[in-house]
């Protein structure tokens, strides 16, 4: 058993239609515009004492597959997508402890607008907001914001280094104690504790100070997914929590050790950043039931190879629609999109045709496979985390339904709590304090 509890979070794949046309999703195709499922989700995961919900996002309709939007629209592949700031704000109003982490791309928001938006969300949530900081990866998304395309991969991170410097200066433009609210003197704000920023860098320029007032956490929690070497370096320097999906226990351990070494090199305490590994548990009443549910999920995936390739292509900026399914993918394939995703896919597909690779592609495992009863899955999670060393798991299942939430809240989490592997109550009011509690 781990010496300390580990953390739990959920990677919500977009605040819109969930698991379109799959079982146990009700009338999601017509009810998705109203956020009741997400509000129920926030309540459920708070009862289960999760650290946070991360709201993934994209700001365009995919057209990587065959150069067309048809497959994406017909099958609801990452579309529609509602603005995550609105859904995040609503989630905060039906909860009191769980962290809410919307995704905002640095290419889509001027630094002042982003700093003001996130500080406001932190205020209305009582200090429970994070920001999943992404640099963007799609030329189609860039074009929606008046750009010709995305900058080159490593240049995006150079720009992000300056971007996060700007927003942190803006968040710091209000010193602690700036709001005095002294009715006797008639003073609301101490002017000596609010400062202009006057930043002018290579990529960004802003005057400041923020007019929204201070964020309760000072600096809202920063989440980042660093896969490439440049991305890992950025995450190690700036992130409070990292989204990771290396394969297998050895890969998980190596990734965490690498990121922690990079943090130490930047003069940071490695324990101040929590690395959470993506998993997709399948829970059954019996082991046989769980295996049958796995078989059904894999059979469904095998029948949806074009849709799955379209989704992967959207992440990687690669058109798999023009490739022969009965030939291997080229070793020379490159991307300006998600580099780690492509590298992992090429490794998995080595020696196989594209059709075989997709047929064998494990849709139930991200970092490690978790299949069984609540008790057996809880035991396995404890074993994995003991071997890896920390810090927790990030659930990533595209088929969110109330049934799935009940399996986690009322099945898996109690089994984890009974083993002392996760918290049974929050220790603090604010997000960062709960994240750093252990």
């Amino acid at each position: 058993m781990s010496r300390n509890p580990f953390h739990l979070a959920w990677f919500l794949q977009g605040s819109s239609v969930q698991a379109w046309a799959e079982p146990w999703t009700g009338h999601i195709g017509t009810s998705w515009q109203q956020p009741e499922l997400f509000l129920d989700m926030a309540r459920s995961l708070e009862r289960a004492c999760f650290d946070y919900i991360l709201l993934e996002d994209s700001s365009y309709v995919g057209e990587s597959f065959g150069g067309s939007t048809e497959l994406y629209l017909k099958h609801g592949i990452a579309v529609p997508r509602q603005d995550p700031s609105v859904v995040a704000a609503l989630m905060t109003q039906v909860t009191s402890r769980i962290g809410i982490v919307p995704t905002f791309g640095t290419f889509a928001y001027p630094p002042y607008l982003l700093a003001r938006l996130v500080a406001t969300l932190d205020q209305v949530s009582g200090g429970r907001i994070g920001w999943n900081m992404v640099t963007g990866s799609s030329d189609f998304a860039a074009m929606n914001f008046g750009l010709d395309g995305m900058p080159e991969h490593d240049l995006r991170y150079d720009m992000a280094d300056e971007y996060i410097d700007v927003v942190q200066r803006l968040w710091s433009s209000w010193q602690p104690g700036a709001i005095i609210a002294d009715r006797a003197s008639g003073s609301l704000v101490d002017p000596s504790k609010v400062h202009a920023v006057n930043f002018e860098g290579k990529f960004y320029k802003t005057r400041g100070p923020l007019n929204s007032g201070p964020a309760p956490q000072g600096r809202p929690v920063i989440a980042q997914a660093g896969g490439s070497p440049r991305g890992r370096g950025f995450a190690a320097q700036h992130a409070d929590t990292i989204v990771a999906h290396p394969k297998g226990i050895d890969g998980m351990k190596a990734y965490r050790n690498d990121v922690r070494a990079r943090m130490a090199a930047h003069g940071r305490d490695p324990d101040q950043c929590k690395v959470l590994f993506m998993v997709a548990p399948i829970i059954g009443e019996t082991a046989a039931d769980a295996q049958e549910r796995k078989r059904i999920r894999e059979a469904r995936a095998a029948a949806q190879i074009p849709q799955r390739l379209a989704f992967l292509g959207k992440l990687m900026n690669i058109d798999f629609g023009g490739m022969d399914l009965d030939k291997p993918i080229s070793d020379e394939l490159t991307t300006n999109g998600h580099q780690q995703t492509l590298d992992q896919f090429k490794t998995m597909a080595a020696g196989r045709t594209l059709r075989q690779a997709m047929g064998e592609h494990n849709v139930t495992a991200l970092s490690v496979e978790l299949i069984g009863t609540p008790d057996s899955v809880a035991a396995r999670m404890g074993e994995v985390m003991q071997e890896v060393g920390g810090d927790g798991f990030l659930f990533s299942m595209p088929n969110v339904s109330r049934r799935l939430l009940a399996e986690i809240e009322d099945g898996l989490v109690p089994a984890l709590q009974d083993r002392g592997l996760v918290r049974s109550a929050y220790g603090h009011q604010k997000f960062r304090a709960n994240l750093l509690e252990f």
Side-chain angles (χ1 to χ4, degrees):
M1 182 179 293
S2 301
R3 288 174 294 174
N4 293 313
F6 52 75
H7 297 270
L8 297 177
W10 195 293
F11 185 92
L12 175 61
Q13 296 192 10
S15 51
S16 60
V17 182
Q18 293 293 308
W20 160 239
E22 291 191 11
W24 298 98
T25 56
H27 297 290
I28 191 68
T30 55
S31 66
W32 64 269
Q33 294 183 21
Q34 302 301 316
E36 291 305 318
L37 173 62
F38 303 117
L39 303 188
D40 287 347
M41 179 181 194
R43 294 183 188 101
S44 175
L45 297 183
E46 182 168 81
R47 287 192 296 266
C49 297
F50 272 55
D51 282 80
Y52 62 86
I53 301 171
L54 187 152
L55 285 74
E56 177 266 351
D57 189 38
S58 61
S59 53
Y60 66 104
V61 178
E63 54 183 288
S64 299
F65 194 84
S68 171
T69 61
E70 180 179 354
L71 202 66
Y72 297 91
L73 291 168
K74 181 177 180 180
H75 296 286
I77 302 172
V79 63
R81 280 282 190 270
Q82 294 175 314
D83 190 298
S85 65
V86 176
V87 177
L90 292 170
M91 283 178 157
T92 68
Q93 300 309 292
V94 298
T95 55
S96 62
R97 292 292 188 276
I98 193 169
I100 307 295
V101 186
T103 296
F104 302 119
T106 55
F107 69 95
Y109 293 82
Y112 185 92
L113 179 62
L114 183 284
R116 185 174 186 243
L117 173 60
V118 173
T120 301
L121 286 168
D122 203 44
Q123 291 169 351
V124 302
S125 67
R128 293 185 294 116
I129 279 293
W131 166 34
N132 182 35
M133 181 181 184
V134 298
T135 60
S137 59
S138 169
D139 290 340
F140 298 124
M143 292 173 192
N144 284 339
F145 294 89
L147 306 172
D148 293 330
M150 284 291 175
E152 183 271 330
H153 179 273
D154 285 4
L155 175 58
R156 296 201 297 267
Y157 281 106
D158 293 340
M159 297 173 70
D161 280 327
E162 185 173 293
Y163 189 105
I164 199 165
D165 184 18
V166 179
V167 298
Q168 295 204 72
R169 289 171 187 250
L170 287 164
W171 286 327
S172 298
S173 64
W174 289 68
Q175 292 178 221
I179 297 180
I180 53 179
D182 183 355
R183 288 187 293 173
S185 66
S187 297
L188 177 64
V189 179
D190 181 348
S192 70
K193 293 187 175 182
V194 181
H195 309 287
V197 173
N198 294 323
F199 182 93
E200 185 169 357
K202 183 177 180 181
F203 305 106
Y204 303 104
K205 180 179 180 180
T206 192
R207 182 170 178 265
L210 281 183
N211 72 334
S212 58
Q217 295 182 99
R219 184 187 87 153
V221 170
I222 304 296
Q224 231 276 319
S228 66
R230 183 65 177 89
R232 293 187 190 198
F234 181 86
Q237 187 172 359
H238 301 294
D240 301 301
T241 182
I242 296 175
V243 176
H245 54 96
K247 302 296 184 182
I249 291 175
D250 289 342
M252 295 165 71
K253 187 184 300 185
Y255 181 95
R256 183 171 182 267
N257 289 344
D258 177 61
V259 168
R260 287 171 65 84
R262 291 172 185 266
M263 288 186 67
H266 285 294
R268 295 185 66 194
D269 176 358
D271 289 336
Q272 297 296 298
C273 179
K274 306 303 178 182
V275 180
L276 270 58
F277 298 98
M278 297 176 78
V279 291
I282 296 180
I283 309 296
E285 293 187 20
T286 65
D289 177 38
Q291 289 296 328
E292 174 62 11
R293 294 177 72 174
K294 175 189 176 184
R295 186 196 65 77
I296 292 171
R297 186 178 297 186
E298 290 181 335
R300 186 183 299 125
Q304 297 176 338
I305 288 179
Q307 293 96 306
R308 292 168 62 211
L309 284 172
F311 179 76
L312 283 175
K314 184 175 185 290
L315 294 177
M316 301 180 199
N317 286 342
I318 292 172
D319 183 1
F320 288 106
M323 298 183 187
D324 190 334
L325 287 176
D326 295 310
K327 292 183 178 179
I329 63 171
S330 170
D331 289 336
E332 306 301 316
L333 200 61
T334 60
T335 182
N336 196 33
H338 287 251
Q339 292 187 354
Q340 183 187 28
T341 303
L342 176 59
D343 290 343
Q344 288 178 340
F345 185 70
K346 287 167 69 173
T347 298
M348 182 273 298
R352 299 172 174 85
T353 67
L354 186 55
R355 188 190 307 277
Q356 289 170 336
M358 292 306 295
E360 297 174 18
H361 187 216
N362 192 334
V363 297
T364 63
L366 290 163
S367 285
V368 290
E369 187 172 76
L370 298 171
I371 301 171
T373 64
D375 194 60
S376 68
V377 170
R380 180 58 179 156
M381 291 173 73
E383 293 167 357
V384 170
M385 203 47 52
Q386 180 66 37
E387 291 191 57
V388 172
D391 298 294
F393 294 100
L394 186 73
F395 292 10
S396 178
M397 287 93 93
N399 56 330
V400 174
S401 66
R402 290 176 177 86
R403 175 182 177 175
L404 175 62
L405 293 171
E407 290 170 352
I408 301 302
E409 178 193 347
D410 299 326
L412 178 58
V413 168
L416 289 166
Q417 291 170 335
D418 289 347
R419 291 172 174 270
L421 295 172
V422 300
R423 65 160 65 94
S424 297
Y426 293 100
H428 303 277
Q429 295 274 349
K430 294 176 183 176
F431 180 12
R432 176 176 281 102
N434 282 316
L435 192 64
L436 297 180
E437 185 178 6
F438 45 82

